[in-house]
Amino acid sequence: MGIKEVLYLARVPSILMLGVVYVFYVLIGGVVFWKLEGDLGKKDISRLLLSKKKLLTMYTCLNQDGMEAVAQVVQDASKVGLSLKGNYTSDGFWKFTSSAVFAATVVTTIGYGNISPSSTAGQIFCVFFALFGIPLNMVVLNRVGKYMLALERNISDFLEGKTGRRKCTRFFVHLVSYLSGAVLFFVVPMIVFQEHEGWTFSQAIYYCFITLSTIGFGDFVADSNPDKVYPEWYSVLMACWIFFGLAWLSLLINHSIDILERLSAHLKQRWTRGKPQEGSGGAKDGDPETQETQLEEEDEMKKTPIT
């Protein structure tokens, strides 16, 4: 059996171990969410049932059918962005600025779910718009991420030439880059959202991460409260924040993936190096085929991951 076949077989235990870790991590997350939110959800249901009972008792002319009709009106109004708290009318969700932000959430796969096309033509257009827009968005974000990475490397190389310390300089540049990105894409938006949306700081930071990671639950959505009047620049600023924040967070995630892959390759290399090889009395460090395989893995690790 050749060395390449042995290395190929050595990947199987690592894949199984990675799969076990992945499933275990998801199950642990499910248990934590169950314990944190399960009791609270039961309390919310009990509170809503009590409020419903009080409402039916207070308004005797309102029966179960009337309650369902009112609930349907409220649900339909929330879908189109209409406020029922006053007698004034609003433009709803489908203004130009809101529609542009919705188009951005489609191509970035955020998909809050608070707004969606209801007409047949709009739904069909959304399919084709996303079909071509999602790859285009990935290419653009990948290019922007590469420019960010190139800017970091240029600054790092410049400082290396001045100080002569490579590791310390690169660590300092990456640290400053991460902290600057955290302030620009998390701290500053958190303050803006707290001011214009009325959220707490924890809700704002939660919304920032859920949006930039493209999870997009839709429980908190900026620029969507029909009871508030937002300035014209608010939607434009939010769209720019989403685009550049996605590129920065994708770059940060790619750095984390690169670190994990390097760690996995290092552990796999140590594991395969400690096992005897068939037919050759054990692979030596000076074996040309082994060196070639290691060089190929290192070159693969050095490539910039695609966002």
Side-chain angles (χ1 to χ4, degrees):
M1 183 181 294
I3 295 180
K4 291 185 178 181
E5 287 78 4
V6 173
L7 291 176
Y8 178 77
L9 292 177
R11 297 177 183 176
V12 177
S14 63
I15 293 175
L16 292 178
M17 183 177 65
L18 187 62
V20 171
V21 171
Y22 177 79
V23 173
F24 182 74
Y25 184 79
V26 172
L27 293 179
I28 288 296
V31 171
V32 173
F33 284 124
W34 176 40
K35 293 298 183 181
L36 292 177
E37 301 293 334
D39 295 337
L40 184 61
K42 293 180 181 179
K43 292 180 181 179
D44 291 339
I45 292 175
S46 301
R47 179 175 53 82
L48 289 175
L49 291 177
L50 182 61
S51 299
K52 175 185 174 182
K53 185 178 180 180
K54 290 182 178 180
L55 190 63
L56 291 175
T57 304
M58 183 180 300
Y59 300 98
T60 56
C61 60
L62 186 64
N63 55 12
Q64 181 65 30
D65 294 335
M67 173 73 74
E68 294 178 359
V70 172
Q72 186 63 43
V73 171
V74 174
Q75 184 178 2
D76 294 339
S78 64
K79 287 183 179 180
V80 298
L82 178 64
S83 175
L84 298 177
K85 292 184 177 180
N87 294 325
Y88 63 91
T89 59
S90 62
D91 296 331
F93 282 140
W94 295 108
K95 300 178 293 185
F96 172 73
T97 53
S98 301
S99 300
V101 172
F102 168 75
T105 60
V106 170
V107 297
T108 55
T109 68
I110 295 175
Y112 290 121
N114 66 316
I115 175 175
S116 59
S118 57
S119 64
T120 303
Q123 292 171 351
I124 295 176
F125 174 75
C126 183
V127 171
F128 288 99
F129 180 75
L131 185 63
F132 294 98
I134 292 175
L136 177 63
N137 177 74
M138 294 178 65
V139 171
V140 174
L141 286 181
N142 188 34
R143 184 62 60 87
V144 173
K146 286 183 177 180
Y147 275 115
M148 290 182 177
L149 185 60
L151 180 61
E152 288 184 16
R153 289 175 177 173
N154 290 334
I155 296 175
S156 179
D157 292 339
F158 174 77
L159 294 178
E160 282 179 20
K162 297 293 184 180
T163 61
R165 297 180 179 180
R166 181 178 180 181
K167 291 185 178 180
C168 295
T169 302
R170 289 188 178 275
F171 175 78
F172 176 76
V173 171
H174 285 304
L175 180 62
V176 172
S177 175
Y178 294 155
L179 293 179
S180 301
V183 171
L184 185 60
F185 298 113
F186 280 91
V187 178
V188 175
M190 177 181 65
I191 297 174
V192 174
F193 292 140
Q194 194 274 337
E195 177 69 23
H196 289 277
E197 302 292 342
W199 298 337
T200 63
F201 287 118
S202 60
Q203 292 172 342
I205 199 71
Y206 164 79
Y207 167 75
C208 290
F209 181 80
I210 293 300
T211 297
L212 296 184
S213 60
T214 70
I215 297 175
F217 288 129
D219 48 353
F220 292 94
V221 181
D223 194 22
S224 64
N225 191 346
D227 298 321
K228 292 182 178 293
V229 179
Y230 299 98
E232 293 296 332
W233 52 265
Y234 191 68
S235 298
V236 178
L237 183 63
M238 193 175 72
C240 295
W241 166 72
I242 290 177
F243 177 78
F244 289 103
L246 279 174
W248 175 80
L249 190 60
S250 299
L251 183 63
L252 182 62
I253 293 175
N254 284 335
H255 276 303
S256 303
I257 293 174
D258 185 48
I259 292 173
L260 292 176
E261 287 181 347
R262 288 177 181 272
L263 180 61
S264 176
H266 176 70
L267 294 177
K268 183 174 66 176
Q269 185 178 5
R270 293 190 61 180
W271 183 77
T272 54
R273 188 176 294 178
K275 292 185 64 176
Q277 308 297 330
E278 296 181 1
S280 60
K284 299 180 180 179
D285 294 341
D287 193 346
E289 293 185 3
T290 305
Q291 292 179 350
E292 181 180 356
T293 305
Q294 293 175 357
L295 289 175
E296 289 178 356
E297 291 182 354
E298 291 178 358
D299 291 339
E300 188 67 24
M301 291 296 181
K302 292 179 181 178
K303 293 180 180 179
T304 303
I306 298 178
T307 304

